[in-house]
Structure formats: structure tokens, C-alpha cells
């Protein structure tokens, strides 16, 4: 039986699909972020995350296992050195997929897939958001107090001017 043995074949034979996913994983490791179709990004996440998870423990067996998939020693070295340090305490979810709209040529859904710990913009936004916290009330004391304070100030000089004459 083939219950629950379905995945996206990406309209390719097995050898072509494996080469595509390996090349995309190498590009993701080297560049930390790539733009592709949404279907390929989802397939890449299923392919790359177990390999990234292996990089947490730097053993010869894990390096050989990852190299058997990627066939690129520079990507394997970077995965086990730089990326493994950043993901050491993360229990999973090493990639993030952000939808970027549709492609102009064929209207395919496009997405950006990136390594989570390498997006500096989101890391900067997340840190101050926790520190600064404001509370707004429905009474609007700040916006209504300013016109009320200005009204008496404008009336006072007008009343003094006729008395001076």
C-alpha cells in the first residue's frame, strides 16, 4: 500500500528532482536566502532541514551523510562551521518561507526561502519590539488636551490688547 506516501514531484524524474533540490540547498547554504517558486521552496524545506539538523553534531558520519546529498565540500564546510554555530540551540524550523507575489511571465507563486538566524532586519525589528511597549486608552487625553490648552492662550493676549489702548 502507498498510504501517505505523497510529495511534490515538481514535474521531474527522481534524478532531476534530486539534483534540483541539492543545487538549491547548496545555494541556500552559501547565500542564506534564495528566490524561487512556492512549490520548490516547500520541497526544499523538506529536503534541507534534515541536513541542517545533522550539522548540529559535527561527526565524520554526519559530514559524509550530508556530502552524499550535496556533493559540494565548500557548502558542507560552511554548514558545519558557520551555520551549525547559529542553530545550535534551535530545536527545528531552520528555514523561513515568505511569499513574494506572482511571477510576471507565467503567474507562478513566488517565494523567498531563507535561513532564520541570518535575517538581520527581522532580528533588529524583534529586539526593540519587546522593549518598547505603549498603552493607548480610548479617552485620547493627548490629542484633546492640546487644543484646549491653546484656546485660552490665544484669548488672553486679545483681551489684554484693548486694555492697553
Amino acid at each position: 500500500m502507498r498510504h501517505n506516501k505523497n510529495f511534490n514531484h515538481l514535474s521531474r524524474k527522481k534524478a532531476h528532482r534530486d539534483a534540483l533540490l541539492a543545487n538549491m540547498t547548496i545555494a541556500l547554504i552559501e547565500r542564506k536566502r534564495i528566490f524561487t517558486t512556492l512549490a520548490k521552496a516547500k520541497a526544499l524545506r523538506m529536503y534541507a532541514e534534515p541536513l541542517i539538523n545533522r550539522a548540529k553534531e559535527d561527526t565524520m558520519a554526519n559530514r559524509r551523510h550530508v556530502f552524499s546529498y550535496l556533493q559540494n565540500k565548500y557548502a558542507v564546510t560552511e554548514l558545519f562551521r558557520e551555520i551549525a554555530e547559529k542553530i545550535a540551540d534551535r530545536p527545528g524550523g531552520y528555514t523561513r518561507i515568505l511569499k513574494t507575489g506572482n511571477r510576471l511571465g507565467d503567474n507562478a507563486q513566488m517565494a523567498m526561502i531563507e535561513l532564520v538566524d541570518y535575517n538581520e532586519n527581522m532580528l533588529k525589528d524583534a529586539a526593540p519590539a519587546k522593549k518598547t511597549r505603549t498603552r493607548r486608552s480610548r479617552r485620547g487625553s493627548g490629542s484633546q488636551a492640546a487644543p484646549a490648552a491653546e484656546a485660552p492662550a490665544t484669548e488672553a493676549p486679545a483681551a489684554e490688547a484693548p486694555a492697553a489702548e
Side-chain angles (χ1 to χ4, degrees), residues 44-108:
L44 177 62
R45 178 174 51 188
M46 291 173 51
Y47 187 87
E49 289 215 2
L51 298 179
I52 297 171
N53 197 24
R54 287 243 180 196
K56 285 183 173 182
E57 186 180 354
D58 191 3
T59 63
M60 185 60 69
N62 284 347
R63 281 183 177 263
R64 286 179 176 169
H65 186 268
V66 171
F67 184 77
S68 71
Y69 280 90
L70 299 183
Q71 298 293 316
N72 187 324
K73 63 182 179 181
Y74 301 111
V76 172
T77 303
E78 187 168 349
L79 177 64
F80 277 86
R81 284 191 186 156
E82 296 176 16
I83 297 174
E85 291 175 9
K86 287 204 171 193
I87 63 159
D89 57 344
R90 185 176 290 274
Y94 311 113
T95 58
R96 175 187 297 125
I97 296 176
L98 300 170
K99 295 178 183 177
T100 59
N102 294 345
R103 187 161 52 195
L104 289 177
D106 57 356
N107 208 28

Side-chain angles (χ1 to χ4, degrees), residues 6-150:
N6 52 352
F7 61 95
N8 196 343
H9 296 279
L10 301 173
S11 299
R12 289 164 171 84
K13 302 279 187 181
K14 181 176 179 7
H16 189 187
R17 186 171 55 248
D18 288 342
L20 170 80
L21 293 173
N23 287 332
M24 289 177 67
T25 304
I26 291 167
L28 180 65
I29 290 169
E30 291 176 349
R31 296 182 180 94
K32 313 299 187 257
R33 173 186 303 160
I34 58 174
F35 292 90
T36 183
T37 62
L38 183 63
K40 287 180 188 174
K42 289 180 178 180
L44 177 62
R45 178 174 51 188
M46 291 173 51
Y47 187 87
E49 289 215 2
L51 298 179
I52 297 171
N53 197 24
R54 287 243 180 196
K56 285 183 173 182
E57 186 180 354
D58 191 3
T59 63
M60 185 60 69
N62 284 347
R63 281 183 177 263
R64 286 179 176 169
H65 186 268
V66 171
F67 184 77
S68 71
Y69 280 90
L70 299 183
Q71 298 293 316
N72 187 324
K73 63 182 179 181
Y74 301 111
V76 172
T77 303
E78 187 168 349
L79 177 64
F80 277 86
R81 284 191 186 156
E82 296 176 16
I83 297 174
E85 291 175 9
K86 287 204 171 193
I87 63 159
D89 57 344
R90 185 176 290 274
Y94 311 113
T95 58
R96 175 187 297 125
I97 296 176
L98 300 170
K99 295 178 183 177
T100 59
N102 294 345
R103 187 161 52 195
L104 289 177
D106 57 356
N107 208 28
Q109 289 182 327
M110 297 300 289
M112 175 183 69
I113 183 168
E114 64 183 1
L115 295 175
V116 171
D117 294 326
Y118 282 91
N119 190 342
E120 293 84 14
N121 295 332
M122 288 191 140
L123 292 176
K124 289 177 186 174
D125 293 342
K130 293 178 185 174
K131 294 178 184 176
T132 59
R133 197 167 175 196
T134 59
R135 182 176 175 188
R136 298 183 183 191
S137 65
R138 300 179 106 187
R139 297 186 182 186
S141 59
S143 62
Q144 293 177 355
E150 292 175 8

